[in-house]
Amino acid sequence: MPRRGARAAKWRISVVKWLLRETYPMAVDAAARRSAAAGGGHRPRHVALIMDGNGRWAARRGLPRTSGHEAGVRAVSSVLDGALEEGIEYLSLFIFSTENWNRPSAEVNALMRLAEEASESFEGHVERGVRFWWLGSEARLSPTVIRALHEAEERTRAGRAMTVAFCFNHGGRDEIVRTAAVLARRAATGGLDPEVIDEPLFARHLPLPDLPDIDMLIRTSGEQRISNFMLWRAAYAEFFFVDTLWPDFTGDQLRALITAFAARKRRFGTV
Ligand code: FPP
């Protein structure tokens, strides 16, 4: 029967695709990116946000910096709406860096509290299929915060509409160093031949290896820096710097930037 034959062929193709993705995830990602970019009108699969400007937003209103971060949570809510409408698969939010420990303790504590409450703050989005992942180190975090972040992941694991990575206690160099240490330990105990270490293997050992490379990296507040954010995965990201302070950033602005992204020519080192 031709229809049965077509179904079987489709099934075989999806098995082969699954096997390819399991075996060569970087190669498959790169091929998909290249063909999308070559076709023009491409859409970002992974959008990452450096949410800067909360302190200045608060200072302009005579408010404490912590009010700026609270307003920042409201902006995240609007951005999640925009990203869901755009069908973005992965959205990463830089919430707390490994360098942010140097801030006043009241501010650090406020950011810890916002992280603890994070998944409840976006309950409506969870109902719409958002799942949360945590990208960052456990070092120096309290057991309460660690538990809350793991619980957020656990509670939302069935979500399939969009994956939101909370980059919390995250540092780009830190994750590269930790990955190198994992591989060095395996090599030292004879479990890994150093000769086979290449980029795809390294990427498979990064924390959250299923989080793909960043396609589009947005930083608000007019600053033009990467600030140690996802250094490995930002290798071929398209950068967008906007003057808006984070608490004023909206889902509609995100959607406009996604339209601008479609006009960028991505070459990944080729011509
Ligand atoms: C940088 O702005 C912002 C941060 C260090 C914190 C970002 C946190 C949020 C946007 C809250 C979101 C929280 C959750 C849990 C989703 P800044 O304070 O350095 O601003 P400034 O440069 O104007 O001082």
Side-chain angles (χ1 to χ4, degrees):
M1 275 197 191
R3 278 189 67 182
R4 244 165 96 187
R7 264 206 305 274
K10 225 169 144 183
W11 183 79
R12 273 197 299 275
I13 290 168
S14 49
V15 170
V16 169
K17 276 187 179 165
W18 176 81
L19 274 172
L20 268 174
R21 189 167 282 283
E22 285 296 301
T23 325
Y24 304 110
M26 293 262 294
V28 172
D29 274 356
R33 277 198 317 261
R34 273 197 302 275
S35 70
H42 44 286
R43 300 170 63 76
R45 185 173 176 223
H46 181 186
V47 176
L49 288 146
I50 302 182
M51 308 180 289
D52 198 6
N54 296 351
R56 277 164 282 170
W57 183 93
R60 283 179 197 175
R61 288 161 178 78
L63 297 168
R65 293 178 59 80
T66 49
S67 303
H69 298 315
E70 281 157 13
V73 175
R74 294 193 287 277
V76 169
S77 185
S78 165
V79 163
L80 294 186
D81 290 339
L84 278 169
E85 280 157 34
E86 286 292 322
I88 298 301
E89 268 182 83
Y90 296 91
L91 187 82
S92 291
L93 303 171
F94 200 10
I95 303 170
F96 190 86
S97 77
T98 44
E99 289 73 36
N100 287 155
W101 290 104
N102 299 322
R103 294 189 174 212
S105 59
E107 184 173 350
V108 169
N109 292 340
L111 288 165
M112 294 293 146
R113 182 177 50 78
L114 293 179
E116 274 176 46
E117 295 164 359
S119 78
E120 284 99 67
S121 305
F122 308 115
E123 192 52 50
H125 299 93
V126 173
E127 279 160 21
R128 287 154 68 192
V130 165
R131 74 174 157 185
F132 297 117
W133 285 355
W134 169 31
L135 182 69
S137 158
E138 293 194 356
R140 298 179 68 179
L141 289 180
S142 74
T144 321
V145 171
I146 294 172
R147 202 174 325 113
L149 288 165
H150 284 317
E151 274 171 16
E153 290 183 314
E154 197 49 42
R155 200 171 66 79
T156 63
R157 62 186 298 178
R160 286 293 174 270
M162 179 167 70
T163 300
V164 174
F166 288 142
C167 304
F168 194 84
N169 203 21
H170 161 82
R173 286 183 174 178
D174 174 73
E175 70 173 7
I176 291 171
V177 167
R178 286 193 289 132
T179 304
V182 167
L183 297 178
R185 269 195 296 276
R186 280 186 50 196
T189 54
L192 175 71
D193 175 3
E195 295 304 320
V196 306
I197 299 176
D198 57 8
E199 289 184 23
L201 182 136
F202 195 91
R204 284 202 298 279
H205 289 81
L206 283 171
L208 285 191
D210 292 335
L211 187 66
D213 277 357
I214 298 172
D215 297 302
M216 179 176 185
L217 175 56
I218 303 168
R219 183 173 188 143
T220 56
S221 91
E223 306 291 348
Q224 302 194 357
R225 293 188 286 279
I226 191 164
S227 298
N228 195 22
F229 180 57
M230 279 210 227
L231 299 179
W232 182 278
R233 279 177 262 234
Y236 281 100
E238 293 292 325
F239 285 67
F240 291 81
F241 298 107
V242 294
D243 288 336
T244 313
L245 300 177
W246 176 256
D248 292 328
F249 193 78
T250 62
D252 286 341
Q253 265 174 289
L254 173 71
R255 300 185 71 176
L257 289 172
I258 289 171
T259 304
F261 173 90
R264 294 259 182 113
K265 273 245 169 302
R266 303 184 78 195
R267 292 213 283 256
F268 303 102
T270 67
V271 288

